[in-house]
Amino acid sequence: MLTGPSTIHYFHGSEVAHWPNAQTHAAGVLQAVPEGENSEIVFESTANGIGGYFHELWQKAESGESEFIAIFLPWYWQPEYRKKPPEGWKPSDTELNTAKTYNLDLEQLYWAHQKNIQLGGDVGEWGWLFLQEYPFCAADAFQQSGQDTLCSTALVAAARKRDDSEVSHYGAHIVGVDPARYGGDRASWIHRKGNKAWGLKSLLKTSTTQLAAKIARECDAYGEAGNPVDAIFVDEVGLGAGTVDALEDMGYPVIGINAGSAASEPEQYYNLRAQMWDNLADWLGGCVSIPDVNSLHADLIAPQYTYNVKQQLVLETKEQMKKREVRSPDEAEALALTLAVPVAAPEKGRGRRGRRPPRNWRAP
């Protein structure tokens, strides 16, 4: 074959998650396709649980760590996936909530109801195998049997799609910041006020001072717009301490949170991080709104939990997640930090930067 400047190089790999020795085969393919504007590589697959080459590829594309673009095609876009329900059939509350979230009609919902039962799911409750084979969103696909997570994927999906007009915005304006701890982790931050979370951002390879400067500029902009920030909760473990110090020196209402410290309810929680995530799960059970972002959804349902011999809730650590080949849930950690400790609703007439806590003050 003759090649020239106008030649288009295209490769399509199908069902990559099920390839034996996928990483080795993919490496050979990637070396054979020239780089440039005229080259295109597509790796597509149904999911095959977490871990493995395709899952790793998806996570990096989803979080912006690679040149691949993560594209999810849900089953309900296909016209053949529908079935007329028998007269008198009534979907469960779970199924009705799913239909509302994804705008499904009754025939699509009945088809999913029947398929879920065929794949071993309980009647009216989506089973993990159905969600893997016929996911409603990308986060549904990458699961495994028996996975116990605090945040329900159905509640997360509903929060992503909920109209802002349904949500209360009353409360303190809090920013949660999860600085990057390792080379591949993201520095993530998000705003929350009452039942609305917004303004999610994630960056790679950002220093503590750069992160502090970006957050400071955002706080100033919100202050000028009449929505000042009341508290900035930063995970101060490791590199986070530098971000806390930089924001504190600039006069912002920053509070360092040590997620590994004791919880305020130690009889229930192994540490503060477990308590924060349980608070987050409860918050998601209400009428709340979060950014409609796939990577945040995936992060929210990623960590698993157990109970120890003291019957304390123990959340899987980031290190344990990495061993399962699941990325650090940085974006969800930022949202959980906004629920680390209660913050009273703001008083009227405060300054544009909000009220600064006393120096050396730490959350109880």
Side-chain angles (χ1 to χ4, degrees):
M1 180 181 69
L2 296 177
T3 62
S6 61
T7 301
I8 297 176
H9 302 275
Y10 178 81
F11 175 82
H12 177 194
S14 183
E15 291 298 342
V16 177
H18 302 272
W19 284 3
N21 304 312
Q23 187 163 9
T24 302
H25 293 317
V29 168
L30 292 173
Q31 293 303 312
V33 180
E35 294 185 7
E37 295 181 358
N38 292 333
S39 294
E40 181 174 329
I41 298 172
V42 176
F43 286 138
E44 58 87 2
S45 185
T46 53
N48 189 22
I50 62 174
Y53 178 73
F54 185 73
H55 182 225
E56 180 183 0
L57 200 66
W58 177 270
Q59 289 185 104
K60 289 181 178 179
E62 189 177 56
S63 60
E65 296 175 53
S66 76
E67 293 182 320
F68 282 95
I69 301 170
I71 299 174
F72 173 72
L73 304 177
W75 65 264
Y76 50 84
W77 286 6
Q78 299 296 115
E80 66 269 25
Y81 292 148
R82 56 194 317 115
K83 188 174 184 179
K84 186 175 181 180
E87 187 174 349
W89 177 71
K90 293 183 178 180
S92 69
D93 289 343
T94 297
E95 291 169 331
L96 285 173
N97 288 334
T98 301
K100 180 181 178 182
T101 300
Y102 296 105
N103 197 28
L104 306 180
D105 62 39
L106 202 59
E107 291 189 0
Q108 290 173 310
L109 193 59
Y110 185 67
W111 178 91
H113 169 88
Q114 291 289 88
K115 183 61 68 174
N116 178 55
I117 294 172
Q118 291 174 18
L119 294 174
D122 293 333
V123 176
E125 298 294 330
W126 305 120
W128 74 271
L129 186 55
F130 171 79
L131 292 176
Q132 178 178 280
E133 297 298 317
Y134 299 97
F136 294 100
C137 63
D140 288 341
F142 297 106
Q143 316 179 64
Q144 60 184 169
S145 175
Q147 182 176 356
D148 290 321
T149 61
L150 288 174
C151 300
S152 157
T153 187
L155 293 177
V156 173
R160 289 177 61 176
K161 305 298 181 182
R162 187 166 286 120
D163 193 298
D164 273 1
S165 62
E166 303 176 31
V167 176
S168 170
H169 299 183
Y170 176 76
H173 182 174
I174 305 168
V175 181
V177 185
D178 186 46
R181 295 201 296 167
Y182 306 105
D185 288 354
R186 297 156 291 170
S188 300
W189 69 97
I190 192 168
H191 298 252
R192 183 181 66 81
K193 191 172 186 179
N195 286 348
K196 176 180 172 61
W198 77 97
L200 175 67
K201 292 184 178 65
S202 293
L203 295 172
L204 291 167
K205 296 180 174 59
T206 302
S207 71
T208 56
T209 53
Q210 288 173 329
L211 179 60
K214 289 178 183 294
I215 292 167
R217 285 196 293 270
E218 276 197 19
C219 289
D220 286 345
Y222 277 106
E224 297 293 351
N227 185 18
V229 171
D230 298 292
I232 306 169
F233 289 168
V234 181
D235 184 350
E236 66 179 357
V237 176
L239 295 176
T243 302
V244 172
D245 290 342
L247 286 168
E248 190 174 63
D249 288 343
M250 290 186 284
Y252 291 89
V254 61
I255 300 166
I257 302 292
N258 184 341
S261 64
S264 62
E265 298 177 47
E267 69 283 356
Q268 289 185 249
Y269 303 104
Y270 176 70
N271 58 17
L272 179 57
R273 180 167 178 260
Q275 184 172 358
M276 283 162 37
W277 273 80
D278 200 35
N279 291 342
L280 175 58
D282 287 343
W283 182 78
L284 285 166
C287 184
V288 302
S289 171
I290 63 174
D292 189 8
V293 177
N294 288 332
S295 54
L296 174 60
H297 189 146
D299 284 1
L300 284 166
I301 66 170
Q304 300 179 3
Y305 73 92
T306 57
Y307 288 91
N308 63 17
V309 293
K310 296 181 180 180
Q311 291 305 299
Q312 295 170 312
L313 178 69
V314 181
L315 192 69
E316 183 180 29
T317 67
K318 295 181 179 182
E319 290 75 15
Q320 289 169 332
M321 293 178 68
K322 286 180 183 294
K323 290 180 181 178
R324 289 197 295 123
E325 300 182 48
V326 177
R327 69 168 178 247
S328 175
D330 306 309
E331 294 180 347
E333 291 279 355
L335 182 55
L337 280 161
T338 70
L339 294 152
V341 291
V343 179
E347 300 172 359
K348 294 183 179 179
R350 64 196 191 282
R352 71 183 178 93
R353 286 187 178 178
R355 294 163 292 168
R356 176 176 175 171
R359 194 169 185 85
N360 299 324
W361 184 88
R362 285 295 180 267

